[in-house]
Amino acid sequence: MLSNATPADEGYGLPNSAIYGDANGDGVFDNESALLGLAVQKYGRTTKATHGQITGINATVTVCYEVLFIFCVKQATFVDQLIIEPGTFSGGGDSGSLIVSDDGTNRPVGLLFAGSSTQTIANRIDLVLNNFGVRIDGSAPPPPPPPPVPVTDLAITSVGAPTSATQGNTVNVSVAVQNVGNQDIPAGVPVTLTDATDGAAIETQTLQELRAGAAVTLVFPWNTTTSSLGTHTLAAQHALGDDNPTNNQASTSVLLSAASLIIHVGDLDATTSRSGGNWSATVAITVHDADHNPLNGATVVGHWSQIGTNSDTCTTGELGGNGTCIVLFPSLKRSVASVNMTVVSVTYAGRTYDRTFNHDPDGDSNGTTIKVLRPN
């Protein structure tokens, strides 16, 4: 009668279904070197129950299966084998015996397949099982781990913004949100950014569905026109009642400073044209505020280095330009090789013009004076 256990009276009983030295349960020895010196036992057809010790690992063994006179005519080489001593551990007819640990746990170690008067050779049991896709039919395997406890946990992981800003500007504030639980979160969860310093809600946005582990970054525009000066705490919070309220909000700080009243010239650009024996010069003047934003409504007064009929005053934005206006010298004689146009003043209610801040990004002027060359 077949059975999955050795005789109870003279064998070791039922083998364990879990192999020796496989703490992580992946079906492979965690550390083959740990097998050296291991006490083992087996129950075989011929020698019955015997006990021994693993004295070699990772052995390469050549076994002769057919001898003609004194010559071996059929042989096979086996690698990664286990060596067990003493020689009395096995005998002819014991091949196929399961070798288990002799420590009371009966964990499978090897499969006996050859031997001699001094040694027994065994295949590593992990390699055998994995090669054939089978398992030991022994004691019941440990129960599978319980399924994870459902956790709903939506976290505001960070709030990002510039450390400082100028009052009146719009500041983009980024809010990073991540589903750090193991349950999907449906769409519709509101996330609100609040200026905690002024006690004002900046904006509320609604999340799309977030699967477990997914993350998203929301961008909130903060209009600082009516915000107070000083350090502002910007706090983001979501409205989902989850299992971990400690990460439902996060904040950052921004120092809001008053806008500078200084205005300056941010660009001078010249164009020319010819008409008969004369040529004309046009200069476009761009005025900036302290943050280098184009400023409409500023009155610019210039001065041409040549005497003649010209326009030297303009108001930015009056012809549709963004912070720009033009002055014109329409009729210069061909004998005039060049003409300079210098910005004398810029006026705007409540602002102060400071020429030391003038600049020109393309380098064709110093922001105050531009030299216009006669066209060829």
Side-chain angles (χ1 to χ4, degrees):
M1 179 178 177
L2 295 176
S3 173
N4 64 346
T6 62
D9 56 347
E10 57 178 348
Y12 56 80
L14 193 68
N16 200 309
S17 62
I19 67 173
Y20 181 84
D22 181 24
N24 60 12
D26 63 356
V28 179
F29 292 143
D30 296 336
N31 180 11
E32 186 182 1
S33 298
L35 299 176
L36 272 175
L38 179 68
V40 293
Q41 59 184 327
K42 72 98 180 67
Y43 186 86
R45 187 196 71 176
T46 303
T47 59
K48 308 301 182 185
T50 57
H51 303 266
Q53 185 179 50
I54 296 177
T55 58
I57 60 173
N58 198 26
T60 299
V61 179
T62 300
V63 178
C64 182
Y65 285 99
E66 184 176 337
V67 177
L68 181 62
F69 300 110
I70 61 172
F71 303 103
C72 181
V73 295
K74 287 186 178 180
Q75 65 182 24
T77 299
F78 299 82
V79 298
D80 212 357
Q81 301 299 298
L82 303 178
I83 307 298
I84 301 166
E85 296 179 356
T88 56
F89 185 74
S90 67
D94 284 336
S95 294
S97 299
L98 182 64
I99 300 170
V100 301
S101 60
D102 195 3
D103 58 0
T105 65
N106 299 340
R107 291 185 179 270
V109 175
L111 191 66
L112 192 154
F113 84 97
S116 68
S117 60
T118 59
Q119 296 176 327
T120 293
I121 313 300
N123 303 132
R124 281 174 46 177
I125 195 63
D126 58 338
L127 301 181
V128 174
L129 297 178
N130 289 322
N131 182 71
F132 292 102
V134 296
R135 66 178 182 86
I136 300 294
D137 182 16
S139 59
V149 176
V151 176
T152 300
D153 189 1
L154 182 64
I156 305 291
T157 56
S158 68
V159 178
T163 56
S164 61
T166 301
Q167 186 185 49
N169 290 343
T170 296
V171 178
N172 286 330
V173 182
S174 61
V175 177
V177 185
Q178 184 175 9
N179 181 356
V180 296
N182 56 22
Q183 303 297 299
D184 294 343
I185 294 176
V189 176
V191 177
T192 300
L193 181 68
T194 301
D195 179 356
T197 302
D198 284 354
I202 295 172
E203 188 180 46
T204 296
Q205 297 185 23
T206 301
L207 291 175
Q208 298 299 313
E209 179 187 21
L210 273 184
R211 296 190 176 276
V216 67
T217 298
L218 307 176
V219 178
F220 293 78
W222 175 34
N223 187 336
T224 65
T225 301
T226 60
S227 301
S228 62
L229 299 179
T231 300
H232 285 250
T233 298
L234 306 181
Q237 183 172 7
H238 68 72
L240 179 68
D242 60 11
D243 297 324
N244 181 18
T246 62
N247 58 12
N248 290 356
Q249 64 178 4
S251 63
T252 191
S253 296
V254 179
L255 176 61
L256 194 62
S257 302
S260 172
L261 301 180
I262 298 298
I263 60 175
H264 62 276
V265 175
D267 193 15
L268 294 177
D269 289 315
T271 57
T272 60
S273 64
R274 292 179 56 181
S275 177
N278 296 328
W279 63 283
S280 65
T282 301
V283 175
I285 306 162
T286 301
V287 176
H288 284 173
D289 64 15
D291 293 320
H292 302 283
N293 298 311
L295 182 66
N296 286 333
T299 300
V300 180
V301 176
H303 172 74
W304 294 96
S305 60
Q306 291 289 326
I307 298 174
T309 302
N310 58 67
S311 67
D312 58 7
T313 302
C314 63
T315 301
T316 57
E318 64 182 352
L319 298 179
N322 188 17
T324 301
C325 65
I326 61 173
V327 292
L328 173 67
F329 204 126
S331 183
L332 290 160
K333 296 184 181 299
R334 286 288 298 166
S335 59
V336 178
S338 65
V339 63
N340 292 340
M341 200 290 299
T342 300
V343 176
V344 176
S345 67
V346 181
T347 56
Y348 187 95
R351 304 290 181 96
T352 301
Y353 170 59
D354 189 339
R355 61 180 294 171
T356 63
F357 289 94
N358 291 354
H359 59 91
D360 193 328
D362 49 33
D364 56 357
S365 79
N366 60 8
T368 300
T369 298
I370 186 169
K371 184 176 184 179
V372 187
L373 300 177
R374 179 187 62 203
N376 294 328

